[in-house]
Amino acid sequence: MTHAPRRGTAPWHGRTSTLHSAGPQNQVNVAPEIIRGSVAALPRNVYEARTRFYRCASHEVLGADGYALLSRYFARYVLPQALMSSRMTKLQCAVLSNIIGRAERGVCQALQREIAEEIGAARPNVTQALKYLAARNYIRAVGRGTWQLNPLIAYKGNGNEQRGFLTELRALALENGFPDNVVPAPASPGRDGKETPAC
């Protein structure tokens, strides 16, 4: 059985994992060992105890930080169209992806310098990309090095947590309409200088 790395360990670059098939030859029955270890803790008047075991697979591919659920609508329609129509640059997409990967309960703690180093971009360019994403309510600046990811785009956590987080945000009644008012990316100028239609 393989285990995901602990928090704070090095990134996955250059690391190899041994993946085993799910066949019977790689399954270990740990029930007898667990029963032997817990039988002494049972009250004396208990003659029978039934236990149900569930197997939880280790997140070898997802990594130690788990995963964030990405809006299927955003991933299928908004982001591809924005990229194909040049309304969103590769840099802006990279910055957004980095924030999605970092966000915990809708909040990303990262200095612009850290984001720039991870994606291999100049810090001033990352600053401009963050402003672009914030102007469209994909993210919201809430402090130095703290970014709030729009939970309608991506969220790490279960549905009840996401709903509670959305309720808190909507109660703020922010002037820019965050999180519900996701502004479309502006049309890029065509070859004749006129703007192309919005998505």
Side-chain angles (χ1 to χ4, degrees), residues 23-51:
Q25 71 277 10
N26 289 317
Q27 295 180 3
V28 179
N29 184 10
V30 296
E33 182 181 343
I34 294 175
I35 292 171
R36 282 194 301 270
S38 60
V39 70
L42 293 174
R44 292 187 179 182
N45 58 347
V46 175
Y47 297 98
E48 181 180 351
R50 295 185 181 183
T51 306

Side-chain angles (χ1 to χ4, degrees), residues 49-66:
R50 295 185 181 183
T51 306
R52 183 174 293 178
F53 296 93
Y54 297 93
R55 182 179 180 276
C56 182
S58 57
H59 292 289
E60 282 291 337
V61 178
L62 300 176
D65 292 332

Side-chain angles (χ1 to χ4, degrees), residues 10-197:
W12 290 90
H13 307 300
R15 299 180 66 147
T16 58
S17 300
T18 304
L19 300 179
H20 300 289
S21 67
Q25 71 277 10
N26 289 317
Q27 295 180 3
V28 179
N29 184 10
V30 296
E33 182 181 343
I34 294 175
I35 292 171
R36 282 194 301 270
S38 60
V39 70
L42 293 174
R44 292 187 179 182
N45 58 347
V46 175
Y47 297 98
E48 181 180 351
R50 295 185 181 183
T51 306
R52 183 174 293 178
F53 296 93
Y54 297 93
R55 182 179 180 276
C56 182
S58 57
H59 292 289
E60 282 291 337
V61 178
L62 300 176
D65 292 332
Y67 63 94
L69 295 178
L70 184 67
S71 161
R72 293 179 66 182
Y73 183 87
F74 183 81
R76 181 176 178 179
Y77 298 106
V78 179
L79 193 57
Q81 289 187 26
L83 285 168
M84 291 302 293
S85 62
S86 300
R87 299 172 191 211
M88 194 171 185
T89 66
K90 290 188 295 184
L91 174 62
Q92 292 160 355
C93 185
V95 171
L96 179 61
S97 179
N98 188 273
I99 290 177
I100 290 174
R102 288 172 174 270
E104 294 282 349
R105 300 301 182 264
V107 177
C108 165
Q109 301 281 350
L111 298 174
Q112 296 177 24
R113 169 182 51 79
E114 295 171 337
I115 297 175
E117 288 175 356
E118 283 198 2
I119 67 175
R123 182 177 171 180
N125 294 339
V126 169
T127 301
Q128 291 303 314
L130 289 167
K131 289 179 180 178
Y132 176 93
L133 297 172
R136 273 129 200 94
N137 279 347
Y138 294 166
I139 61 174
R140 182 173 79 99
V142 292
R144 184 176 183 272
T146 305
W147 306 91
Q148 200 166 60
L149 175 66
N150 191 322
L152 296 177
I153 292 176
Y155 189 78
K156 181 178 179 181
N158 63 42
N160 290 334
E161 291 174 339
Q162 182 194 38
R163 183 172 296 182
F165 189 49
L166 282 167
T167 300
E168 292 176 10
L169 287 173
R170 287 165 178 157
L172 297 175
L174 299 170
E175 291 184 10
N176 61 359
F178 188 93
D180 297 291
N181 185 24
V182 180
V183 182
S188 58
R191 292 183 180 178
D192 56 357
K194 296 180 180 179
E195 289 191 345
T196 56

